[in-house]
Amino acid sequence: MGQRVIEVPESMRASAQIDEATYRAWYEASVRDPAAFWGEHGRRIDWFKPYTEVQDTTFGPGKVSIRWFADGVTNAAHNCIDRHLATRGDQVAILWEGDDPAEARAITYRELHAEVCRMANVLRNRGVAKGDRVTLYMPMIPEAAFAMLACARLGAIHSVVFGGFSPDSLAGRIQGCGSRLVVTADEGLRGGRTVPLKANVDAALARLPADSVDHVVVVRRTGGAVAMEPGRDVYYDAAAREVTDTCPAVPVEAEHPLFLLYTSGSTGQPKGVVHTTGGYLVYAAMTHQYVFDHREGDVYWCTADVGWVTGHSYIVYGPLANGATTLMFEGIPTYPSVSRFWEVVDKHKVTIFYTAPTAIRSLMGAGDGPVRGTSRASLRVLGSVGEPINPEAWDWYHRVVGDGRCPIVDTWWQTETGGILITPLPGATRLKPGSATKPFFGVQPVVVDGENTVLEGACEGNLCLAASWPGQMRTVWGDHERFVQTYFSAFPGRYFSGDGCRRDADGDYWITGRVDDVINVSGHRMGTAEVESSLVAHPKVSEAAVVGYPHGVKGQGIYAYVTLMQGEAPSEGLRKELVAWVRKDIGPIAAPDLIQFAPGLPKTRSGKIMRRILRKIAEDEFSALGDTSTLAEPAVVDDLIENRQNRS
Ligand code: 6R9
């Protein structure tokens, strides 16, 4: 196909945990007899009561049910902390790098144990027990990980809400899962600027019935003044002084929920993705070890925020279950300068570095100089996640950041999948820039056409999974029917990812992006329906349609077509007002990049908006609009083209 192939470096091959032959043998075994394969690998974590059942899963049609290791009993915090104490109590578990380069902390496994026990006791004293939901709205400080693990220790279910979400979004997520306790910080700190986390919690709670939340625990980060409501709010440091630093880990069944995480889909409000304990932890830990070729002595850094699934699986649970040293970074890639990532790599001798294409593209824009000025000699493996990585960005990452020395693992997965599904393994897989390459052990991708026919060989279509893997989400919180509808109805009997892909003649997968109404902005998922409903809630807006368009740094930008109420006139002022409106309503990540005022939207005679046409115009490719004969008013298209906002 004329595409470039980068062979496995000889040094990697020689010392590989998994070489090519092992990959083939294990993969083969994992799909031939999944129960035997996972029965063996499930033992990589500690079980208080060992499982005898391994896999009990069905994708329908009809019933959808996913259970792994179901009669086993374990605890995630025990596995991430306690079981390491005898062998690595003095090893650093969490290496924290502050927003300000002068601030850092190193927390050993022994200290992690004490910190998590204290946090667990603070929560327990406020009524948190097994099965209760706890919302965490935290900056990237070690206390965010302590709080997650404290919940896990008690068998409580955490729901982390990204600190960039608005009070309204936070309120919806608190109410959605009925959490009665929120852990937050006074303020966050990013790029030298403060984020008013506690004030946002106050605003969120003001929108909910008065008795919704009993307790707000406030970690002091900046020391900035915040309002404290007596009886409800307590500073963490004060509460922690009153408890001991031991707290037993509550044994939970393998299928007991560990966390839920709200994520955007193509319709309606964000849904609470439910992950359970045993299978999730086995899968997160195993992928972390093999995908990143993680070994004793590594310093591993994933730059994600704990508000996203990548932070859950690959900052906290996977690495800590493996006894790793995991770096947690509070700041942003461009503060105080565009060299920050590489300075942190040198400062902490980072060996494995995992980031998102959007970060790579934005740093690439600043040129090679800021990278070349640093050593990066400690780096061994580079990773990418969140969106397709374009070959230019891949090349730069490989050639400049990794000095041509480090394999790049382009890892495809989703909030719903719990862990990485399609990826190279550093010692086993030759790389193709832009391809996520091969399935991980136990993962059975299938490419299907619109009629659910399985395509063979080289092909392009919808990316589905034919069978379950232990890290898979189990249900949507409180709405199993929505789970079945969303993931198992488009292609009955299979899990549908929502992504399109191409498989080449070598069996390598190339993810082409979402085929549903979800857009991927800087690696963050946004449902177009959510942005639309926010826009139409504005008093001057009558109708809105939102699509994605190619954006040089963000991957996709948000393009909104807006029809105003009768008598309202388009203006620059109103454009700004609408952007600010969405930003305030949902959060900065949802703010439209381009708004086009449109007197009418292209609709079929039955009133359906033809998004295909809107996407084309937003992409500035209006010469290939396809069939427009079914439009009720073909003339609206001319106006849309005339006034398009993205002109290349
Ligand atoms: C882990 C995470 C999931 C969506 C997914 C896909 C896109 C993620 C990718 C990728 C191409 C990769 N995506 N990794 N596309 N190559 N390596 O990002 O979870 O936030 O749920 O997003 O992101 O479109 O469906 P999440």
Side-chain angles (χ1 to χ4, degrees):
M1 307 194 60
Q3 69 214 347
R4 239 153 29 85
V5 171
I6 289 104
E7 295 299 336
V8 177
E10 198 39 54
S11 58
M12 285 273 162
R13 192 198 308 273
S15 66
Q17 298 184 65
I18 306 283
D19 61 12
E20 197 187 343
T22 314
Y23 169 73
R24 281 180 205 275
W26 284 30
Y27 183 76
E28 229 273 344
S30 73
V31 298
R32 190 179 356 105
D33 190 349
F37 182 84
W38 290 112
E40 181 188 335
H41 289 282
R43 286 194 287 273
R44 64 177 295 129
I45 67 167
D46 277 3
W47 296 87
F48 299 144
K49 175 178 171 288
Y51 50 84
T52 62
E53 302 157 24
V54 177
Q55 180 175 11
D56 175 13
T57 64
T58 168
F59 281 5
K63 185 178 133 166
V64 175
S65 165
I66 297 151
R67 293 161 61 82
W68 286 89
F69 312 115
D71 64 343
V73 174
T74 184
N75 179 285
H78 165 87
N79 274 290
C80 289
I81 309 169
D82 305 46
R83 71 163 172 155
H84 304 311
L85 293 179
T87 52
R88 51 177 93 241
D90 296 322
Q91 183 201 306
V92 174
I94 297 177
L95 194 52
W96 177 77
E97 168 79 13
D99 186 56
D100 177 343
E103 277 194 279
R105 285 168 74 183
I107 296 137
T108 65
Y109 273 94
R110 201 179 320 287
E111 289 163 344
L112 181 64
H113 180 262
E115 296 278 9
V116 169
C117 286
R118 264 191 209 286
M119 180 76 83
N121 284 329
V122 166
L123 301 184
R124 194 170 58 169
N125 282 351
R126 284 164 184 75
V128 173
K130 183 180 171 191
D132 291 346
R133 280 77 59 209
V134 175
T135 297
L136 311 180
Y137 186 64
M138 297 288 280
M140 283 289 287
I141 56 176
E143 285 76 7
F146 302 163
M148 292 164 76
L149 291 162
C151 290
R153 200 163 185 86
L154 298 173
I157 305 163
H158 58 72
S159 164
V160 183
V161 178
F162 175 58
F165 278 118
S166 68
D168 269 325
S169 299
L170 175 62
R173 287 156 169 80
I174 291 171
Q175 196 166 38
C177 67
S179 46
R180 307 199 59 85
L181 189 146
V182 178
V183 184
T184 188
D186 47 8
E187 297 172 313
L189 200 54
R190 291 184 83 236
R193 282 202 276 228
T194 57
V195 185
L197 295 173
K198 174 59 165 65
N200 285 352
V201 171
D202 291 340
L205 297 188
R207 289 163 169 74
L208 298 177
D211 59 351
S212 305
V213 165
D214 307 316
H215 300 285
V216 179
V217 175
V218 185
V219 176
R220 258 187 249 268
R221 169 59 189 108
T222 63
V226 295
M228 295 292 279
E229 188 175 303
R232 187 192 73 181
D233 303 349
V234 62
Y235 274 112
Y236 178 66
D237 51 7
R241 274 196 291 274
E242 287 166 15
V243 298
T244 70
D245 60 4
T246 55
C247 172
V250 173
V252 301
E253 312 74 52
E255 287 299 337
H256 182 68
L258 176 60
F259 64 85
L260 49 106
L261 192 52
Y262 282 87
T263 194
S264 296
S266 51
T267 56
Q269 289 305 300
K271 46 190 173 293
V273 167
V274 176
H275 282 290
T276 59
T277 306
Y280 169 80
L281 198 62
V282 166
Y283 197 78
M286 185 163 166
T287 47
H288 172 259
Q289 179 183 343
Y290 295 127
V291 171
F292 301 105
D293 185 41
H294 181 266
R295 307 149 185 252
E296 207 58 49
D298 270 323
V299 176
Y300 162 87
W301 180 17
C302 165
T303 69
D305 190 285
V306 290
W308 310 109
V309 74
T310 307
H312 285 59
S313 300
Y314 299 112
I315 293 178
V316 178
Y317 288 111
L320 295 177
N322 288 337
T325 296
T326 180
L327 195 150
M328 193 173 181
F329 176 45
E330 185 182 34
I332 58 173
T334 50
Y335 178 84
S337 80
V338 289
S339 300
R340 184 67 188 280
F341 271 0
W342 326 122
E343 283 162 3
V344 174
V345 165
D346 285 352
K347 174 174 171 186
H348 297 289
K349 300 281 176 285
V350 170
T351 54
I352 303 169
F353 179 73
Y354 190 29
T355 196
T358 185
I360 298 164
R361 283 191 299 265
S362 80
L363 296 176
M364 188 168 80
D368 299 3
V371 191
R372 301 273 190 215
T374 61
S375 157
R376 290 155 288 106
S378 55
L379 289 174
R380 197 178 77 245
V381 175
L382 302 174
S384 172
V385 61
E387 51 173 318
I389 179 165
N390 48 309
E392 299 70 39
W394 196 102
D395 257 1
W396 188 81
Y397 196 25
H398 188 253
R399 184 173 50 80
V400 181
V401 175
D403 283 322
R405 191 167 34 82
C406 310
I408 296 178
V409 289
D410 175 2
T411 62
W412 175 80
W413 60 296
Q414 312 179 292
T415 304
E416 294 87 339
T417 70
I420 294 162
L421 294 194
I422 301 184
T423 180
L425 302 182
T429 320
R430 79 275 174 284
L431 308 171
K432 295 178 186 171
S435 170
T437 72
K438 297 281 198 276
F440 190 74
F441 306 125
V443 173
Q444 301 182 46
V446 280
V447 185
V448 300
D449 67 9
E451 273 70 58
N452 201 15
T453 303
V454 175
L455 306 177
E456 304 291 344
C459 59
E460 182 158 356
N462 303 297
L463 178 54
C464 294
L465 282 309
S468 186
W469 62 99
Q472 186 174 20
M473 77 181 281
R474 302 302 198 252
T475 190
V476 169
W477 181 258
D479 197 349
H480 192 70
E481 190 44 39
R482 191 168 173 204
F483 175 58
V484 178
Q485 274 304 317
T486 307
Y487 303 104
F488 300 90
S489 70
F491 304 103
R494 316 181 201 288
Y495 168 84
F496 176 42
S497 66
D499 281 320
C501 80
R502 185 162 72 73
R503 185 174 54 213
D504 68 22
D506 301 325
D508 287 306
Y509 289 85
W510 303 72
I511 311 301
T512 51
R514 304 288 305 196
V515 296
D516 54 9
D517 290 321
V518 171
I519 49 189
N520 193 324
V521 186
S522 301
H524 301 319
R525 270 164 70 166
M526 217 44 246
T528 53
E530 276 173 75
V531 184
E532 286 164 6
S533 77
S534 174
L535 284 167
V536 296
H538 189 282
K540 293 182 182 165
V541 174
S542 109
E543 219 176 6
V546 170
V547 297
Y549 73 99
H551 186 287
V553 171
K554 299 179 178 185
Q556 280 189 299
I558 300 178
Y559 193 118
Y561 296 88
V562 170
T563 305
L564 296 175
M565 293 287 189
Q566 201 86 71
E568 299 294 345
S571 69
E572 263 329 290
L574 182 53
R575 208 189 288 276
K576 290 209 178 78
E577 187 180 322
L578 293 178
V579 173
W581 171 271
V582 177
R583 176 180 270 274
K584 184 160 175 294
D585 189 25
I586 305 177
I589 60 169
D593 296 280
L594 295 173
I595 292 183
Q596 174 168 0
F597 293 110
L601 297 174
K603 292 185 185 167
T604 60
R605 288 189 196 94
S606 64
K608 250 181 156 8
I609 294 176
M610 290 186 76
R611 289 170 180 282
R612 176 176 57 80
I613 292 177
L614 295 177
R615 267 186 225 117
K616 283 284 178 208
I617 296 173
E619 287 164 8
D620 201 19
E621 284 190 8
F622 50 89
S623 56
L625 287 184
D627 184 11
T628 55
S629 62
T630 54
L631 284 177
E633 283 179 88
V636 301
V637 173
D638 298 332
D639 179 87
L640 291 175
I641 293 174
E642 177 77 26
N643 293 302
R644 70 192 186 279
Q645 298 292 301
N646 174 32
R647 289 164 194 264
S648 28

